Amino acid sequence: MTIRDVMDALGARLITGEEWLEREVHVACGSDMMSDVLAFLKDQSVLLTGLCNPQVIRTAEMMDIICIVFVRGKYPDETIIEMAKERGIVLLASGHRMFSACGKLYEKGLRGGAPYR
Amino acid sequence: MSDVVTLRYDVIPGDFIKAGEASSDVKKKLMDIGISPDVIRKTAIAMYEGEINMVIHSLGGYAEISIYPNEITILLVDNGPGIDNVEQAMSAGFTTAPDDIRELGFGAGMGFPNMKKYTDEMIVESQPGIGTRVMMKVNI
């Protein structure tokens, strides 16, 4: 699945990163707790979150996460968008709540990786 | 690469906007040196968790990263307040972070466990009232 497929499945709005929409995403993670996200190490992943602060971008940067979906109508400010731009991270905004957004991507075949050990 | 490269950063308590800048800079420098992506990611995550911990809990301190031919060491030193029970602080889910920190996405009690998970060696020494010293190593 590509980032564009993620965007279409969620009917999400593109905030930044149009040039990266054809990148493949392999796995997804949904959480508002960045420490939980940091416990999850996978390549080319997408993060779904309702948290909207600069530490979301930092977390994505450390994890090499390629796309962040802000759920339940959250929308980042200019500082956050600029940070994502500098790092080549795609930002999407979706009105869906976390559960529904994750479900829509799961339905399209995206998975979350193995259970936590 | 035979020389040791050392990077040092001050960590400012309570500054959540800047938190992570040092880890971000280390990540860029490691990429410039040509360290493998896997090692860079482990180092960056462990240091970032440590940096966030210091911003949340400490009275300030510094982070010192040394890059040796076979390993990277991350040294985090703060000026207090220290940890009463290090063993308890190391267990997954244990946290003393207040609610306003959780609203920022941290304080789930996963900081130390994640740091341990992503490094090959981790030593935490702490003295209440004096400070905490965390030494982590990632093999290259």
Side-chain angles (χ1 to χ4, degrees), chain B residues 32-75:
Chain B
D32 290 345
I33 294 171
I35 305 284
S36 80
D38 183 45
V39 171
I40 293 178
R41 191 149 54 174
K42 289 194 284 186
T43 306
I45 296 169
M47 179 176 168
Y48 179 56
E49 283 280 20
E51 201 186 339
I52 291 284
N53 259 352
M54 286 174 77
V55 170
I56 296 173
H57 296 288
S58 86
L59 303 169
Y62 66 89
E64 196 174 271
I65 288 73
S66 301
I67 305 145
Y68 297 92
N70 298 317
E71 65 185 28
I72 298 170
T73 61
I74 308 159
L75 177 67

Side-chain angles (χ1 to χ4, degrees), chain B residues 61-99:
Chain B
Y62 66 89
E64 196 174 271
I65 288 73
S66 301
I67 305 145
Y68 297 92
N70 298 317
E71 65 185 28
I72 298 170
T73 61
I74 308 159
L75 177 67
L76 306 169
V77 179
D78 71 42
N79 308 318
I83 302 164
D84 287 327
N85 185 337
V86 171
E87 201 184 327
Q88 190 180 33
M90 294 289 290
S91 58
F94 178 81
T95 183
T96 57
D99 286 344

Side-chain angles (χ1 to χ4, degrees), chain B residues 113-134:
Chain B
N114 278 347
M115 287 154 75
K116 199 172 169 62
K117 176 180 170 179
Y118 290 114
T119 55
D120 294 293
E121 196 184 325
M122 176 173 166
I123 300 166
V124 182
E125 295 164 335
S126 190
Q127 237 179 311
I130 308 270
T132 301
R133 185 182 182 278
V134 179

Side-chain angles (χ1 to χ4, degrees), chain A residues 34-35 38-39 55 61 64, chain B residues 16 19 24 27 48 105 117-118:
Chain A
M34 292 303 106
S35 282
L38 288 160
Q55 298 312 328
E61 176 186 11
D64 298 323
Chain B
F16 265 95
S24 172
K27 188 172 187 192
Y48 179 56
K117 176 180 170 179
Y118 290 114

Side-chain angles (χ1 to χ4, degrees), chain A residues 63-84:
Chain A
M63 303 294 290
D64 298 323
I65 285 169
I66 61 174
C67 172
I68 300 167
V69 181
F70 293 103
V71 296
R72 50 176 193 271
K74 295 290 173 76
Y75 204 89
D77 65 21
E78 268 312 311
T79 315
I80 298 174
I81 297 171
E82 224 20 72
M83 283 175 74

